[in-house]
Every structure is written in structure tokens, then in C-alpha cells.
Amino acid sequence: MCGIIGITGDKEGMVSRLMAGLTKMEYRGYDSAGVCISHPEGLDVKRSEGVLDNLKETVKDMKDGTCGIAHTRWATHGPPTEENAHPHCDPQFRVAVVHNGIIENEVQLRQILIEANNNDCFKSETDTELVAHVLAQELDAECGDVVPDDEQLLAAWRRSLDRFDGSFSLAAVVKGRSDVILVARSFSPLILAHNEAGFLASDVSCLVGMVKEVCFIEDGDWGLLHKDRMELFDSEGNPVSRKSTKLQWNEEDAELGGWPTFMLKEINEQPAVVRACLQGRLSREALRGVKIPYKPDLVRIIACGTAFHAGMMARHYIEELSGIPCIVDHAHEFRYGTPAGPKALVLGVSQSGETADTLAGLMTAQERGYPTLSIVNVETSTIARQSDAILGIRAGPEIGVASTKAFTGQVLGGLLVALRLGRLTNKVHTEELAVISNAARRFPNAMERLLASTQLEQGLKRARRLFHDKNHAFFLGRNSSYPIALEGALKLKEISYIHAEGYAGGELKHGPLALIEDGTPVVVISSEGIIQQKLFGNAREVSARGARVIMIAVEGDEEAAAHADVVITVPKTHPLLQPIMHNVVCQLLSYHVAMDRDCNVDRPRNLAKSVTVE
Ligand code: AGP
């Protein structure tokens, strides 16, 4: 999704500071970028297609200033070209705008302006350019070509915003006012902050290291950012003040720290995430801290992507430990479904806490009167603030677009919710809780042993070769390892661009088996007992048709080797935690296959870290 940063202060040096902010948002995914410096005599805009290095070249000779806005674009309207890159200006270069989100009534407004000006004065295919035109038109109506004072700026800005429908966060600068930035938020996140200057951003990570506290302005807020204060109003035009929140993370957290990629760093941070996520949370008393208003008769879980797979694990835990029926929906589908039963609990799962579909699903649930609890990583995010209660997974900033450590945190968050529900239904007794708690305490060490094992390294070396020049692959699981099969397939898809399908093993005969051909790589996520035997059967079925089987099995499993070309074993742990351990192997397998294909594992093509548009 698009990234926005703006700074207004007394000191020059804005070009390098804005570029530094854009660099910190690169992980979100983008395809073009631009900067505008607001000088007393006018606006200077530089934009480039492609990576930030192109823009760095373009802004090399840019005149510096004390106020500016900048943007990384993830194309929604119009291809990723220089003329579609932000900032966008009106024809007279009176206004420059950067934007994240979508102006839904763009076509109608564009038509009205073309007719009013009796010519098509638009240079780009973007909805953002429209904002610049409208604001310039409203400024002309408010004060002609005189430099507007604050009151005139606010009047013109408010009338402009009233004309837009949709979800957007906006920042704009106006010629002659190189001391102030116009801001507005409707659904897409926007953060303001002050240090020795005034700052704004669409993503808290780009302010890390620049400020210590941030202010998440609310939906419908708009106003002016000055170097030392913010002047905010709500959607009714009433002056509002929003409280500041201490930043959750520091700069080192969001840096590579010597790792070759963020993804590999974050895979290896998982033992620490397990410890942080479960620290002091597994006792009977601590579980009461998982805020659930009543004993629900149904739990509805909503999420997208990897978070959805974590939600599937949560469902397994909740039904296993509490006996409460649970339905997992993609958030974007939940919104159109029929309301749940009278005493449902809606559980949102989201790393970023900014996924538009998940946020919209939670709001739909609240409109239907259901209590909402969200498992999030960013505890200052929009979803966190929208939900009735949250459970933070404490995974630290996850920079790699492909979610790894956050998945583990989300799954453990689901386990904590399940244990809490199990206590509410009296199905989880003290002894069982003690067993799980002891296993959880040993779990990070076992994961560290796995990550350091030569057996894993050797197994991955053999397994990754099976993907050379392959464009299709399968991941098979059953019961609690089925979500891991789906997650493993998504990881491979999104970073290596190999078409990978995750399937429940029992589904193979109902169609997918037709796709197995000589050399097709099939990853089997083992389980235990009768389910394990069924998965061995699946392995035989695909091998008989030429597939190459990579089995992820538990240490000591003597049988696995008879059914696989490559066996990678993981430490045995509590059955509830075992799928998380298997998933670490899937993450590393996908990582190495993608590296063999020279893919950018931290910033895969076409993808963004946080999908803040529907
Ligand atoms: C996971 O690797 C993907 N990047 C994506 O599926 C992600 O999990 C999904 O967009 C949900 O994001 P969230 O957890 O921030 O809501």
C-alpha cells in the first residue's frame, strides 16, 4: 500500500529526511515515488518510476526547504509511471497532494471539473490528481490568488473534503504557505507527531527514530499540521485534540542487524517471539487478562492471508480446548454473510492492524452488536483501537512482506484465547493447563535447536533442489496440519512465485491428484496417529504418479523415510504446538527456494505489507 510522510519545521534538510522516511516504508511495497518541497515562492515536485534509488538520483539537485511531503505509490488507479506518481498538482501548481486509499466518486468529480474548465486538464490517470484540482478550485473561491491564511486554508480544505467519498489519508501543501501541511483521514491510517518539527506519516515505522510519541488521528479527522502544533477537527467541524501514544518499538527493532534479509531475521526471531508472546500469560490468573465479555455460544474468526491461516489454527484450539463451535471466514467474505448467533464473539486476527477488509469486518460485527477481540501485533493500529479488546502478540516490527514470526505470534494468541475460553467452559482444568504451560516453556528452546540443526540444513539443501525449474507444487496436511499446508503454500507462492496449492490430504482424490505429474514437488506436513497414516497414504498416492515428496516429520518417526524422497524432522512437542514447529521448516524451505530463484524475499512483486484498501 502507499506510504506517506510529511515534515514541517524551521530547519532545512527536508529532502534527506523525507527520503529516509520513504526508505523505511519500502517494505510496504511500491512501484513509484515522489517528493514535494514547499518553498515560500512555490512548490518543487520531483517524481520517479520504480525504486527509490531512481528518486534519489532525481532529487540530488533539489533545492532544500523546511516543509515537504513525500510518497511511495502502490498503483491502484493507472499504471506505475512517473506521471501517475505522487505528489500530484493542479495545473497552476498551487497545490501538491499525496494520498493513500481510494476516492470512490473520482469519475463523477473528474467529469464535473472537465466540464467546468471546458477542457481535460488532467495529466494522470489517478484519483489523487483530482484532490489537487478540487482544493485549488476551493482556494480560488475562498481567497482568489492571494496566499491563504489558516482560516481560509481550513475553509477551502473542509469544502474540498466534503466532496470526496471513499477511504483515504491525505496530506497537501499550498503555494506560499511553506509552514503548514493540510491533513485528513478517512479510514486509511494517518499519524501525526512533534519533536523539533511537525511530522505526519501513514505508517508508524517510518517515524521510528524521529519521534518518541505519536498521535493516531481518528476517522474523519482533518486539519493543519504546524511545526509545533496540530489544529484538528472532526467530521462535523468541531475542534478535537487526540492523545499521543508512546512508540512501541525503537529503531534497532526495525533494522536488519546483520541478517541478509528481514525475512530470515524474522524467521530466526521466532523463539524470542514465543517467549515474549507467552511470558506471564499462561497462569489461571493471567488468562483472565484475555478480555472476553461472556461465554459465547459461537466464535467467528475473521482475517486475511496468513492471519486467516492463523485463525484456522485458533479455531482448532478453541474447539479442542473449550468445545465452543468456531467459524473462520475471510474478512472480506464475512461482511456479506448472515449474522452469527445471539451470543457470538468475533475474533479479528491482524499483524498490521490496518488490513481494510478485516477492519471493515470488525465494524460490521460491531454494528450487529457482537463484542470484538483482536489478536494484533501493532497495538496502536486502527484495528486495535476499533476493537473492544485486544491481545497483543509482542512479535516486534515485522518488516518482511511475507509474514513469518507474526504468524507464530498470531497462532499463540489464538491458543491463549482458546485457553481462556476453555477455562470459561470448565473444560481446561488446572492440570491440563500446567501440561500445556510446561510444554510452552520448553518450546522456544526446541525451536532454537531446530533452527541450529545440521539435519535441517541438510534436509533443506536436498529439498530445495526438487523445486528447481518447477512451477507447480503442493502442500498437504490434515486436521491441525492442514492450516500449515495452506500457510506453507502461501509462503512459497508469495516469495518464489511458484504456483503452490495447500490441500487437505483427504481432498486429493477429489480432483487435485489429476495435477500430479513426474517431478511435482509435494510437501507433506505430518501429524500423528491415524492422521499420520492417512498422510503416508497421500504420500504414496502422489509418489506413484511421479511426485517428489518432502515429508516434515517429528524426530524419531521411523516410518516417514519409507514414504518420502526427503525427510526433514523437527523436535517433538505438545500436539497443540507441533504445527508451529512444522511451519518453521515450510518458511525456510520457501525462503531458500525463492533465494535460488533470485527473488526479493522481503519485497515480493505486486505485494504490500499491509493491504489498507479493500
Ligand atoms: C502474509 O505473508 C501476507 N503478507 C498477507 O497474506 C498478510 O498475512 C495479510 O495481508 C493480512 O495482513 P495482516 O495480518 O496485517 O492483517
Side-chain angles (χ1 to χ4, degrees):
M1 295 301 98
C2 301
I4 291 175
I5 179 168
I7 310 174
T8 179
D10 282 330
K11 296 199 199 92
E12 295 216 339
M14 280 313 153
V15 175
S16 56
R17 299 184 82 178
L18 291 170
M19 290 303 293
L22 292 186
T23 303
K24 286 182 179 173
M25 287 192 287
E26 277 197 288
Y27 79 94
R28 295 164 57 98
Y30 68 101
D31 42 50
S32 55
V35 173
C36 171
I37 297 295
S38 174
H39 302 286
E41 69 276 11
L43 306 178
D44 184 4
V45 176
K46 301 286 184 211
R47 303 179 304 188
S48 295
E49 189 177 323
V51 294
L52 281 186
D53 286 347
N54 300 343
L55 184 62
K56 280 174 190 155
E57 200 50 40
T58 310
V59 303
K60 241 177 7 185
D61 308 325
M62 194 172 193
K63 181 168 175 268
D64 218 327
T66 60
C67 175
I69 54 178
H71 185 269
T72 49
R73 178 173 183 250
W74 190 80
T76 51
H77 288 65
T81 57
E82 188 275 335
E83 57 271 5
N84 284 334
H86 304 203
H88 284 284
C89 298
D90 64 299
Q92 286 69 42
F93 279 86
R94 185 174 194 180
V95 168
V97 178
V98 290
H99 166 219
N100 185 18
I102 293 177
I103 308 286
E104 305 280 4
N105 59 331
E106 176 237 347
V107 172
Q108 302 89 313
L109 277 178
R110 182 187 278 257
Q111 202 45 44
I112 290 167
L113 283 168
I114 290 170
E115 281 158 17
N117 298 325
N118 201 17
N119 77 329
D120 184 351
C121 44
F122 287 88
K123 296 198 187 75
S124 79
E125 299 169 65
T126 68
D127 52 349
T128 311
E129 188 184 356
L130 184 81
V131 176
H133 285 240
V134 168
L135 177 55
Q137 190 184 58
E138 292 297 348
L139 282 168
D140 289 349
E142 183 66 29
C143 55
D145 57 8
V146 171
V147 174
D149 60 22
D150 287 3
E151 203 176 317
Q152 291 166 325
L153 273 180
L154 288 168
W157 189 222
R158 179 168 190 192
R159 285 201 305 275
S160 303
L161 294 171
D162 286 346
R163 294 169 65 178
F164 304 136
D165 297 334
S167 67
F168 47 80
S169 47
L170 292 167
V173 286
V174 173
K175 183 178 175 181
R177 288 299 310 265
S178 58
D179 59 322
V180 73
I181 302 175
L182 287 72
V183 297
R185 173 191 174 172
S186 170
F187 214 77
S188 289
L190 194 62
I191 300 141
L192 305 185
H194 280 98
N195 201 336
E196 81 299 337
F199 298 82
L200 68 93
S202 58
D203 182 325
V204 71
S205 65
C206 90
L207 296 180
V208 169
M210 291 189 197
V211 297
K212 293 264 183 285
E213 293 200 340
V214 292
C215 167
F216 290 82
I217 67 174
E218 298 296 334
D219 226 3
D221 285 1
W222 61 283
L224 300 180
L225 173 70
H226 299 266
K227 65 180 179 185
D228 52 5
R229 62 193 168 86
M230 55 186 89
E231 213 176 339
L232 289 177
F233 303 85
D234 65 15
S235 52
E236 303 303 315
N238 308 310
V240 290
S241 65
R242 300 298 181 198
K243 66 179 177 46
S244 284
T245 315
K246 197 170 170 315
L247 269 182
Q248 214 178 334
W249 298 317
N250 55 44
E251 207 157 8
E252 308 72 70
D253 292 333
E255 292 187 347
L256 262 178
W259 290 92
T261 62
F262 280 108
M263 186 173 174
L264 193 59
K265 174 188 175 207
E266 288 153 6
I267 289 172
N268 283 278
E269 282 179 333
Q270 290 181 109
V273 169
V274 173
R275 292 189 181 95
C277 185
L278 297 179
Q279 180 80 38
R281 288 175 146 178
L282 281 167
S283 69
R284 282 179 302 168
E285 301 68 34
L287 282 173
R288 291 195 198 100
V290 180
K291 297 188 187 62
I292 292 172
Y294 51 57
K295 186 169 61 171
D297 54 16
L298 174 68
V299 178
R300 301 293 298 267
I301 301 175
I302 61 173
C304 301
T306 284
F308 174 80
H309 301 146
M312 289 176 71
M313 287 303 300
R315 172 192 169 225
H316 173 74
Y317 293 151
I318 290 169
E319 293 189 341
E320 181 86 7
L321 294 171
S322 74
I324 297 172
C326 199
I327 300 173
V328 194
D329 288 289
H330 285 107
H332 37 81
E333 291 300 310
F334 169 81
R335 302 170 66 187
Y336 313 114
T338 49
K343 282 194 71 181
L345 168 71
V346 174
L347 182 63
V349 185
S350 176
Q351 186 285 128
S352 63
E354 299 300 345
T355 298
D357 288 318
T358 307
L359 176 61
L362 286 163
M363 293 169 81
T364 302
Q366 289 173 331
E367 284 154 19
R368 292 174 179 170
Y370 299 125
T372 55
L373 166 64
S374 289
I375 297 172
V376 295
N377 191 26
V378 184
E379 297 178 28
T380 51
S381 61
T382 306
I383 284 177
R385 285 177 291 112
Q386 181 68 36
S387 302
D388 300 310
I390 67 165
L391 194 159
I393 65 171
R394 306 172 180 168
E398 185 176 68
I399 307 300
V401 166
S403 188
T404 50
K405 65 175 182 175
F407 174 77
T408 292
Q410 288 164 346
V411 172
L412 293 172
L415 177 61
L416 290 169
V417 171
L419 288 168
R420 171 75 173 120
L421 290 168
R423 297 291 294 167
L424 279 176
T425 58
N426 291 317
K427 277 179 66 73
V428 171
H429 300 296
T430 310
E431 307 70 45
E432 184 178 12
L433 183 57
V435 168
I436 294 169
S437 181
N438 290 332
R441 202 167 294 115
R442 295 191 301 271
F443 188 60
N445 295 347
M447 191 185 278
E448 277 162 348
R449 192 155 54 83
L450 170 66
L451 286 165
S453 77
T454 46
Q455 179 271 146
L456 173 67
E457 190 187 354
Q458 296 305 324
L460 287 170
K461 206 174 275 177
R462 294 174 56 214
R464 63 202 280 187
R465 283 193 210 111
L466 301 179
F467 290 82
H468 284 170
D469 65 46
K470 295 293 183 295
N471 292 312
H472 300 282
F474 281 83
F475 287 70
L476 302 179
R478 286 179 182 244
N479 194 264
S480 65
S481 72
Y482 170 40
I484 306 304
L486 294 175
E487 175 57 14
L490 174 63
K491 223 42 63 201
L492 186 69
K493 262 195 278 273
E494 64 178 331
I495 61 174
S496 75
Y497 316 143
I498 291 174
H499 176 234
E501 296 268 6
Y503 264 102
E507 193 58 17
L508 214 50
K509 294 186 192 66
H510 300 281
L513 198 57
L515 290 174
I516 301 296
E517 52 195 22
D518 196 38
T520 304
V522 177
V523 179
V524 178
I525 324 283
S526 80
S527 186
E528 56 178 1
I530 180 63
I531 293 175
Q532 174 77 323
Q533 292 308 316
K534 301 270 184 201
L535 281 163
F536 285 161
N538 288 139
R540 289 193 296 274
E541 278 168 1
V542 295
S543 297
R545 289 159 178 85
R548 306 301 299 276
V549 175
I550 298 120
M551 178 86 68
I552 304 176
V554 171
E555 275 167 356
D557 181 327
E558 306 294 330
E559 217 183 325
H563 307 287
D565 298 274
V566 178
V567 177
I568 297 174
T569 60
V570 300
K572 185 169 180 55
T573 179
H574 191 285
L576 292 174
L577 301 172
Q578 195 68 59
I580 301 173
M581 195 71 88
H582 283 78
N583 187 53
V584 172
V585 179
C586 293
Q587 293 169 342
L588 286 166
L589 176 60
S590 296
Y591 176 82
H592 290 296
V593 170
M595 294 300 277
D596 290 346
R597 297 163 72 100
D598 295 327
C599 294
N600 182 335
V601 294
D602 283 343
R603 290 205 306 279
R605 67 185 183 197
N606 306 341
L607 300 183
K609 181 60 184 172
S610 176
V611 183
T612 56
V613 291
E614 294 176 17

